[in-house]
Amino acid sequence: MADGGAGGQIDFDWADAERRLAAAAHGADDAELFVEQSRSESFLWDDGRLKSASYDSTQGFGLRVVAGETAGYSHASALDPDSVQRAADAAAAAKRGRSGALDAAPARTNRKLYPDVDPLGSAAFTAKTDLLAEIDAYVRARDPRVVQVTASLAGSQRHVSILRPDGQRIDDSRPLVRINVSVTVEKDGRRESGSAGAGGRDVYAPWTSSERWKALADEALRIALVNLESVPAPAGEMDVVLGPGWPGVLLHEAVGHGLEGDFNRKGTSAFAGKIGERVAAPGVTVVDDGTIGGDVGGGRRGSLTVDDEGTPSSRTVLIEDGILKGYLQDRMNARLMGVAPTGNGRRESYAHRPMPRMTNTFMTSGDKDPAEILASLKRGIYAVNFGGGSVDITSGKFVFQCTEAYIVEDGQIKAPIKGATLIGDGPSALTRVKMVGNDLQLDEGVGTCGKAGQSVPVGVGQPSLYITGLTVGGAG
């Protein structure tokens, strides 16, 4: 039985697949067949011309059989009975004579977080390329210091179906779009850049209206011009105020990954075994919520009606008022840890096994006015935007590059700085949160998370934060 959606559009012999899956799952703890058909496109405008336009169409399935801590996984791009049987035979080897009872199937849901629409067919090819040309012309006309504009559009539509050994089938149709603008400016031989983007689970229109894309282009230009006036960043230990919204990517990397169930079940996370303990300053609450609708249209980039195991997504409180409450769970790790799945079993595609992953992860609002937070910073860094970063899950140590940051003295924003990096560890940084703003913002819909070679779309967010004693790497 299907839960509606567009999964029925996949041409597949479901009855035959159910029979083969049930045979492979006999004696296992869990099993599923994940079937996918997807189409995607992307357009890149660079150096005053359309540099690339691509289209891709894929289909395939992944079959998994789980026995204890062992998971057998096999996948193929051919949707035919012989391929399913070969995959079932290979995946069933995970049982190795073990005899178990199948875990309970995921709960059903009639909730739908995003429309069943096709971004690729929502606008003509020329409309998309003309938009990119218009963005280029608009930005160049805004300031004579603009020397380069890069604009891109990307859209996809994924139809997925998760088939259980008992015949239950969960279907989901997932649109996703994104628009990005990057600007390079030059003055007296010095070049700097800035970028901005947005997107979500809908057709292109909500993000490609004139008002919307001009706001993104203006923001990219603003950041580039700020960086053009930047001075070398200082170095040393100092207090830092993080701006709202996208700076939540630091929370995502430095804390969020450490709260995923697999790392904690294996004891490799800095947060392992600390449920019920204080791991953050009072007032710090961290949530992962895959059920958020979009601010502009459709659903947010990280939101999912159901995860890639068929479990409905949920709002999971990870840290509440500084106390660790739980972890993000897929089905296998939840069963092994004796807790309920949280709807965070995700995979990049049919060719990848599911694992615990974040959806939209953010810190909730506090009670401080952002102006009050900034005014209390005597000398330190105000970090507004971040670029790349890295984290070690075991220790929680992170390094993040600031793409827009300022020196603050006596509560006043001074010069913008270039080359600043924030260095610390997530568990320690959480205990050093001094003030939490009342201005929670989620990012604009551009996040992509990598783990174990898989990439999935995510959301991040936070209010303004005052953190004491972070190490700032800079010029000295």
Side-chain angles (χ1 to χ4, degrees), residues 6 119 134 162 242 317 343 379 404 445:
E134 189 176 1
I162 301 100
L242 304 179
V317 178
R379 176 169 174 79
E404 182 185 359

Side-chain angles (χ1 to χ4, degrees), residues 64-84:
R64 182 178 63 153
V65 175
V66 180
E69 297 185 20
T70 303
Y73 194 73
S74 187
H75 64 87
S77 58
L79 300 180
D80 61 72
D82 288 343
S83 296
V84 173

Side-chain angles (χ1 to χ4, degrees), residues 441-457:
Q441 291 182 21
L442 300 179
D443 77 289
E444 294 283 350
V446 296
T448 298
C449 173
K451 176 181 176 181
Q454 296 190 41
S455 295
V456 296

Side-chain angles (χ1 to χ4, degrees), residues 133-437:
E134 189 176 1
I135 292 173
D136 178 272
Y138 172 81
V139 177
R140 292 180 186 276
R142 294 284 289 172
D143 196 290
R145 290 167 290 184
V146 174
V147 294
Q148 176 72 338
V149 178
T150 301
S152 63
L153 277 176
S156 65
Q157 174 62 294
R158 296 179 71 203
H159 299 302
V160 304
S161 291
I162 301 100
L163 179 67
R164 299 281 304 163
D166 63 359
Q168 177 182 335
R169 195 175 90 225
I170 303 100
D171 304 317
D172 197 19
S173 179
R174 302 170 177 173
L176 189 66
V177 298
R178 176 172 167 171
I179 178 173
N180 275 81
V181 182
S182 178
V183 179
T184 301
V185 294
E186 181 177 13
K187 177 182 177 182
D188 299 329
R190 177 181 176 178
R191 290 194 172 196
E192 298 290 348
S193 62
S195 62
R201 296 195 177 278
D202 206 333
V203 294
Y204 288 109
W207 291 274
T208 56
S209 67
S210 178
E211 179 182 2
R212 187 68 168 159
W213 69 252
K214 285 182 180 179
L216 293 174
D218 290 343
E219 177 66 1
L221 177 59
R222 182 194 67 79
I223 295 172
L225 293 176
V226 165
N227 287 330
L228 197 60
E229 304 301 324
S230 62
V231 300
E237 185 176 295
M238 60 188 73
D239 293 355
V240 176
V241 171
L242 304 179
W246 178 247
V249 68
L250 190 153
L251 176 76
H252 169 103
E253 293 289 353
V255 177
H257 279 298
L259 297 175
E260 292 168 338
D262 49 354
F263 296 128
N264 288 279
R265 178 177 65 82
K266 298 172 184 177
T268 56
S269 167
F271 296 99
K274 294 186 177 181
I275 296 292
E277 297 182 16
R278 177 165 295 283
V279 296
V284 172
T285 296
V286 179
V287 172
D288 183 270
D289 192 346
T291 71
I292 306 174
D295 296 332
V296 177
R300 291 200 63 84
R301 182 174 171 85
S303 295
L304 291 171
T305 297
V306 294
D307 71 6
D308 294 324
E309 298 176 309
T311 305
S313 59
S314 65
R315 184 180 191 273
T316 304
V317 178
L318 301 168
I319 299 172
E320 185 173 27
D321 199 21
I323 306 299
L324 183 60
K325 293 295 185 179
Y327 306 121
L328 299 175
Q329 301 287 4
D330 63 351
R331 287 177 58 85
M332 185 177 84
N333 286 281
R335 176 175 48 80
L336 293 171
M337 296 180 75
V339 297
T342 57
N344 290 89
R346 306 189 64 188
R347 64 184 99 198
E348 180 177 328
S349 76
Y350 71 87
H352 302 84
R353 63 180 180 86
M355 65 180 80
R357 304 294 299 271
M358 286 173 275
T359 56
N360 303 300
T361 311
F362 55 92
M363 186 182 298
T364 62
S365 279
D367 59 358
K368 300 297 182 183
D369 185 275
E372 177 187 353
I373 294 177
L374 197 57
S376 67
L377 182 60
K378 297 303 179 185
R379 176 169 174 79
I381 300 298
Y382 178 41
V384 180
N385 265 309
F386 288 101
S390 62
V391 63
D392 179 84
I393 300 299
T394 302
S395 65
K397 292 182 178 178
F398 62 80
V399 178
F400 267 87
Q401 179 184 5
C402 300
T403 55
E404 182 185 359
Y406 303 83
I407 294 174
V408 176
E409 295 178 354
D410 295 323
Q412 299 295 314
I413 295 177
K414 301 296 182 180
I417 55 177
K418 178 180 174 62
T421 56
L422 299 186
I423 304 167
D425 69 88
S428 175
L430 284 179
T431 65
R432 296 182 181 183
V433 174
K434 182 179 177 181
M435 303 173 77
V436 181

